[in-house]
Amino acid sequence: MKLAIIGATGWIGSTLVAEAQSRGHDVIAIARDSSNIAATGVEKRSLDLTAGDSASIAAAVAGADLVIASIGGRAAGNHEIVAASAQRLLNELPAAGVNRLLWVGGAGSLEVAPGVTLLSLPEFPQAYKDEATAQGEALAVFRNSHSAVNWTFISPAAEIFPGERSGNYRTGGDSLVSDAEGNSRISVQDYAVAMIDEAENNAHPKQRIGVAY
C-alpha cells in the first residue's frame, strides 16, 4: 500500500513512518515543512493545515491508498487545529480520491469506569489537559460525521513511551486497556505496530479503539 502520514516529523509520526517502511509499504511523509523530515526512502511533501486551501490536502495525499494523521497541536501551540483538521480531512479526502483515514488519538477520552473518562480524574496531568481535550473534540467530530471516509480513531494507553518493538498489544473499545496490575502502558513502537496492523487489516471501520499492553 501507499500510506500518506501527516505529522511525519513528530515522535509518533516518525515512528509510524519507520514501521510502515519496515513492512514494505510506500510512504508519503507529510509535514508543515517537508525539509524537516528525517526519514529516507520516502516521498516528502509539505502541508500546512492552518491554511484553508482544499487543494493543499488533495495535493499532499495524491496517490495514497489511505491517510494516517498524527496531529496534536502542542508544538504549534494551537490545539484548535486538532478537531478542525479532523473535520477538514473528513470533508476533503473523498474529493482527493482517498476513502480511509486512521487518526492518532489521545487516551483522555477513554473511560476508566462507565461515564468516567481518564481526563476527568483529578490526577490527570495538567500539562496534557488541553491536548487531551482537543483529541476528545476530534473524536466527537468523527462520531458525528456523515462523511464517506472510513475512519478509525486509535487511542494509545495512558502512558506511551519510547521503548522497544515487541509486536504485542491488546485492543479495547472505549474503556482504558490496563494490565493485571492496573497499569495502562504501550511503547510508541508497539503503538505504531497496532496502527499499521489496522491500516493493513481494516478491522475496526468507523470505530474508536484503544491499544495497550
Side-chain angles (χ1 to χ4, degrees):
M1 284 190 296
K2 193 165 192 174
L3 312 181
I5 299 178
I6 299 172
T9 56
W11 75 294
I12 294 179
S14 60
T15 307
L16 290 168
V17 169
E19 177 66 24
Q21 285 187 290
S22 75
R23 302 199 198 185
H25 296 296
D26 292 329
V27 174
I28 303 168
I30 302 170
R32 189 180 304 115
D33 183 351
S34 61
S35 68
N36 292 328
I37 297 171
T40 59
V42 300
E43 186 176 347
K44 301 178 183 182
R45 299 180 187 173
S46 296
L47 173 64
D48 182 359
L49 283 166
T50 63
D53 179 11
S54 61
S56 61
I57 288 180
V61 305
D65 295 305
L66 65 86
V67 170
I68 301 175
S70 179
I71 301 165
R74 195 190 326 167
N78 177 13
H79 291 102
E80 290 76 14
I81 194 176
V82 179
S85 295
Q87 189 65 71
R88 282 195 64 194
L89 289 166
L90 288 168
N91 290 347
E92 298 174 25
L93 285 180
V98 179
N99 65 5
R100 286 191 65 202
L101 171 62
L102 305 186
W103 185 269
V104 175
S109 58
L110 290 166
E111 293 186 346
V112 295
V116 180
T117 64
L118 183 65
L119 175 60
S120 70
L121 297 180
E123 60 268 30
F124 191 91
Q126 183 67 37
Y128 298 105
K129 281 191 173 181
D130 287 347
E131 188 171 358
T133 299
Q135 287 289 356
E137 292 167 351
L139 178 59
V141 166
F142 282 106
R143 286 181 163 165
N144 292 324
S145 173
H146 298 290
S147 169
V149 172
N150 175 10
W151 56 270
T152 304
F153 185 107
I154 303 181
S155 292
E159 180 186 355
I160 182 169
F161 58 92
E164 296 181 355
R165 183 191 190 281
S166 71
N168 298 315
Y169 62 90
R170 291 182 299 137
T171 301
D174 286 327
S175 297
L176 185 71
V177 179
S178 302
D179 63 19
E181 287 74 43
N183 300 311
S184 178
R185 305 175 76 245
I186 195 164
S187 73
V188 68
Q189 290 83 357
D190 283 328
Y191 177 82
V193 171
M195 179 69 76
I196 304 305
D197 282 352
E198 184 64 30
E200 294 175 346
N201 300 324
N202 191 21
H204 302 91
K206 294 198 173 183
Q207 297 177 51
R208 186 267 286 279
I209 60 171
V211 293
Y213 293 133

